[in-house]
RNA sequence: GGAGGGAUGGCCGAGUGGACGAAGGCGGCUGUCUUGAAAACAGCUGUGGGUGCAAGCCCACCGGGGGUUCGAAUCCCUCUCCCUCCGCCA
């Protein structure tokens, strides 16, 4: 949510940001108009109410019955006037609030100009792509041949885009989750296990609603929304809270499955386990002081990169361009890992500074050590990392000519000592 | 799922129609006293919004929403959550 003050004091800033996102800016004027109307109504309604409050107090003090009746009659007339004003206000306020909630975050000046993901800028590439003296297989061949990946039965259970992990495949995923959680915990993130189904206002707070309702799963009977990312739960964690400045920054990590209604048509683009309706992810999330959010962003980016490095996966860091930037983000970097079999860079993480955008939506503030009142915290989120695509890269990059896959060394403590996944032992 | 009882400020807890944004206590902050600390005493101690250069003034908020009334923490309706007992269940 953007600050309504921005629309009053610097509407051009909002317009320019929308233009940079290649979005229509006409609703800015609508907000200004509604806000002016709201304030005019509010002032009228409040002064009437003040008058009434005063008169009511006077009635309470009046002992003489006739005089009392007179005063009450006068107040009844005032009441009708007030009713109509307040009815109008009550209709207007949700409209204004809903409209304000549709504006995406302000784009940071540093975000490069661009229409879509093809114009994202690669900042750096780290690690060497593995070389093979044979033709490396894609995971959709490699996995089934190893017996760790079963597409047919996944489809039988749940339809297209679902799969079963068998034996060491399932174990590898579990090892990756534990490895990531343990690594982040060592880096100062507190682990949280959160609900995977949350209430509507929680999804709204992180910015996935109302705009992306089409991509979410929703139980209509119970008002439950399946989380599309742990970012939703981790934003909701401190909703409507006032934090102490001394406690900041607060860093969390959480493992959750993620549920998304992907409306992409079937085809090569979605072959394998790259994109599904359900996938696992370890998330990082930070609440911090506004002056600290750039530092925390660098920290989070480094922590996400650290996972890639430890797994020995070649990766690159992309600066998202204005056209690809998410709704709640002011700036974002994506991490792609190289998958040698399918020959693709796979997006495994997205690290964003939302500044006070989510905090404002979720009403998450802190009490400054000095000065009065409260201020909104800054929040950052980043995958650390998304599991299926990391699995793809681990499998494809570490495959050998005989079809076996060597387990990266850092994962072996969680693999019960298994060093190699051999064909047909699963 | 059934029956009953609850929800008040950072915390505990009083308040059943008018002087209540809310007693009292605890905690916290400031001051006096003290070499310092403790104790004692005094004062202060919520959030959001409108308006104003500011001091301030005004409005709202006693779990959420709606209603009755000139006036609601207090009465009525409704929802949510919590507790106790029964049932069911991993």
């Amino acid at each position: 949510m953007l600050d309504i003050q921005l629309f009053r004091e610097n509407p051009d800033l909002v317009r320019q940001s929308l233009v940079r996102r290649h979005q229509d800016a006409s609703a800015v004027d609508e907000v200004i108009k509604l806000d002016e109307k709201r304030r005019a109504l509010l002032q009228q309604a409040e002064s009437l109410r003040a008058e009434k409050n005063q008169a009511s107090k006077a009635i309470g003090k009046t002992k003489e019955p006739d005089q009392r009746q007179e005063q009450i009659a006068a107040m009844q007339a005032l009441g009708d006037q007030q009713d109509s004003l307040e009815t109008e206000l009550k209709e207007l306020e949700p409209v204004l609030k809903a409209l304000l909630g549709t504006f995406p975050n302000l784009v940071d000046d540093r975000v490069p100009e661009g229409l879509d993901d093809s114009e994202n800028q690669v900042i750096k590439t780290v690690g060497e792509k593995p070389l093979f003296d044979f033709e490396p297989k894609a995971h959709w061949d490699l996995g089934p041949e190893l017996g760790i990946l079963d597409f047919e039965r996944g489809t039988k259970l749940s339809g297209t885009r679902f799969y079963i992990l068998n034996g060491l495949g399932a174990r590898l995923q579990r090892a990756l989750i534990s490895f990531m959680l343990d690594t982040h915990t060592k880096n100062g993130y507190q682990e949280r296990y959160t609900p995977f189904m949350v209430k509507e206002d929680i999804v709204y707070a992180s910015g996935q609603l109302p705009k992306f309702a089409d991509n979410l799963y929703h139980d209509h009977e119970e008002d439950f929304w399946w989380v599309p990312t742990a970012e939703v739960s981790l934003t909701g964690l401190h909703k409507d809270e006032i934090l102490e400045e001394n406690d900041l920054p607060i860093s969390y990590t959480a493992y959750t499955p993620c549920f998304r209604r992907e409306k992409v048509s079937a085809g090569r683009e979605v072959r394998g386990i790259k994109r599904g309706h359900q996938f696992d992810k370890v998330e990082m999330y930070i609440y911090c002081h506004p002056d600290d959010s750039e530092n925390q962003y660098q920290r989070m980016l480094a922590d996400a990169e650290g996972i890639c490095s430890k797994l020995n996966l070649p990766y690159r860091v992309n600066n998202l361009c204005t056209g690809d930037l998410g709704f709640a983000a002011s700036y974002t970097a994506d991490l792609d890992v190289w998958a040698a079999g399918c020959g693709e860079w796979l997006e495994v993480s997205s690290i964003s500074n939302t500044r006070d955008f989510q905090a404002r939506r979720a009403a998450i503030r802190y009490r400054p050590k000095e000065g009065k009142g409260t201020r909104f915290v800054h929040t950052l989120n980043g995958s650390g990392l998304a599991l299926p695509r990391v699995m793809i890269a681990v499998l494809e990059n570490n495959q050998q000519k005989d079809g076996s896959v060597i387990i990266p060394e850092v994962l072996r403590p969680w693999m019960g000592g298994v060093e190699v996944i051999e064909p047909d032992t699963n």
Side-chain angles (χ1 to χ4, degrees):
Chain A
M1 180 107 66
L2 296 179
D3 189 351
I4 187 77
Q5 295 288 352
L6 272 176
F7 291 80
R8 291 176 196 161
E9 290 161 11
N10 201 350
D12 279 339
L13 201 69
V14 182
R15 288 194 192 97
Q16 281 159 18
S17 177
L18 284 165
V19 168
R20 290 195 69 204
R21 283 181 183 267
H22 309 282
Q23 290 181 19
D24 177 36
S26 59
V28 173
D29 294 318
E30 183 67 14
V31 169
I32 295 171
K33 205 178 79 192
L34 287 175
D35 178 51
E36 278 167 2
K37 193 170 170 197
R38 185 188 83 93
R39 280 189 291 167
L41 280 170
L42 191 64
Q43 281 166 39
Q44 287 178 58
E46 283 194 349
S47 68
L48 255 182
R49 209 177 305 169
E51 191 181 336
K52 218 167 108 177
N53 284 349
Q54 222 169 11
S56 287
K57 270 182 194 168
I59 292 173
K61 285 176 187 151
T62 303
K63 296 282 180 286
E64 215 275 303
D66 287 349
Q67 197 186 345
R68 205 181 161 97
Q69 275 316 310
E70 229 172 85
Q71 288 173 320
I72 289 175
M75 277 306 100
Q76 278 167 335
L78 239 176
D80 293 343
Q81 217 188 120
Q82 194 195 353
D83 278 350
S84 76
L85 274 173
E86 294 200 343
T87 304
E88 213 178 329
L89 252 182
K90 268 182 197 161
E91 283 165 8
L92 183 69
E93 276 174 340
V95 172
L96 175 59
K97 203 184 162 207
L99 181 62
L100 202 57
T102 63
F103 284 84
N105 201 356
L106 292 182
V107 178
D108 189 273
D109 291 340
R110 293 166 294 176
V111 175
E113 216 44 62
L115 211 55
D116 55 40
D117 59 1
S118 67
E119 297 188 65
N120 293 342
Q121 290 179 358
V122 177
I123 309 171
K124 66 172 176 179
T125 305
V126 179
E128 295 297 321
K129 293 182 184 177
L131 296 171
F132 296 91
D133 55 6
F134 59 94
E135 187 65 28
K137 291 172 184 163
H139 68 282
W140 54 77
D141 291 326
L142 190 60
E145 283 167 25
L146 280 168
I148 60 172
L149 192 49
D150 183 344
F151 290 108
E152 280 80 20
R153 291 199 176 90
T155 308
K156 177 164 71 183
L157 263 60
S158 306
T160 182
R161 291 173 202 277
F162 287 91
Y163 53 89
I164 314 288
L165 292 174
N166 294 337
L168 289 176
R171 178 133 196 191
L172 176 63
Q173 173 158 291
R174 188 153 52 89
L176 280 163
I177 293 165
S178 296
F179 157 66
M180 291 177 189
L181 286 173
D182 289 355
T183 303
H184 295 320
T185 303
K186 266 182 224 143
N187 287 333
Y189 296 80
Q190 304 173 53
E191 185 172 350
R192 289 292 181 270
Y193 171 85
T194 64
F196 305 154
M197 301 143 81
V198 297
K199 294 189 285 187
E200 179 164 332
D201 60 319
I202 300 297
V203 189
Y204 180 86
S206 58
Q208 273 77 11
L209 281 178
K211 209 175 165 187
F212 303 105
D214 286 357
N215 296 315
L216 303 176
Y217 288 103
H218 178 212
D219 175 14
H220 292 270
E221 286 177 13
E222 301 287 350
D223 182 32
F224 277 133
W225 296 75
W226 272 247
V227 296
T229 158
E231 174 195 344
V232 173
S233 318
L234 292 175
T235 306
L237 221 50
H238 289 296
K239 184 170 181 288
D240 296 323
E241 291 184 21
I242 299 172
L243 308 169
E244 293 305 323
E245 181 172 349
N246 281 333
D247 293 337
L248 301 176
I250 301 174
S251 314
Y252 292 119
T253 185
Y255 154 77
T256 70
C258 305
F259 304 96
R260 296 183 186 179
R261 298 171 62 140
E262 303 286 352
K263 292 194 167 166
V264 187
S265 58
R268 196 195 172 287
E269 183 58 20
V270 294
R271 198 159 171 204
I273 64 172
K274 179 178 154 188
R275 185 189 291 267
H277 292 302
Q278 170 189 322
F279 66 97
D280 284 21
K281 184 155 64 66
V282 171
E283 182 79 359
M284 298 176 283
Y285 199 93
I286 298 177
Y287 298 77
C288 69
H289 190 282
D291 298 341
D292 192 31
S293 69
E294 175 61 26
N295 285 338
Q296 295 299 330
Y297 173 81
Q298 296 301 338
R299 168 192 171 208
M300 190 181 272
L301 180 58
D303 290 333
E305 288 183 52
I307 299 292
C308 299
S309 302
K310 287 187 171 122
L311 290 169
N312 200 26
L313 299 173
Y315 67 92
R316 64 182 190 189
V317 182
N318 298 313
N319 243 351
L320 291 205
C321 72
T322 54
D324 199 27
L325 193 67
F327 179 75
S330 66
Y331 54 100
T332 297
D334 275 3
L335 247 59
D336 299 343
V337 298
W338 174 253
C342 53
E344 279 184 79
W345 289 100
L346 301 174
E347 182 189 328
V348 292
S349 181
S350 207
I351 294 113
S352 301
N353 186 356
T354 75
R355 296 228 170 88
D356 66 358
F357 186 82
Q358 285 179 329
R360 195 177 292 279
R361 267 173 116 86
I364 304 165
R365 291 159 291 166
Y366 72 95
R367 207 182 301 282
K369 277 182 279 196
E370 281 164 31
K372 281 196 273 187
T374 58
R375 291 183 66 193
F376 290 106
V377 297
H378 278 196
T379 64
L380 305 96
N381 65 81
S383 339
L385 311 160
L387 268 300
R389 294 175 184 178
V390 172
M391 292 268 288
I392 293 173
V394 167
L395 292 173
E396 293 185 357
N397 293 3
N398 296 299
Q399 61 182 301
Q400 301 179 93
K401 199 167 189 172
D402 65 359
S404 64
V405 170
I406 297 177
I407 306 284
E409 208 135 338
V410 288
L411 294 179
R412 291 183 193 168
W414 291 277
M415 289 298 288
V418 175
E419 295 177 8
V420 183
I421 304 178
E422 308 275 4
D424 285 331
T425 53
N426 297 285

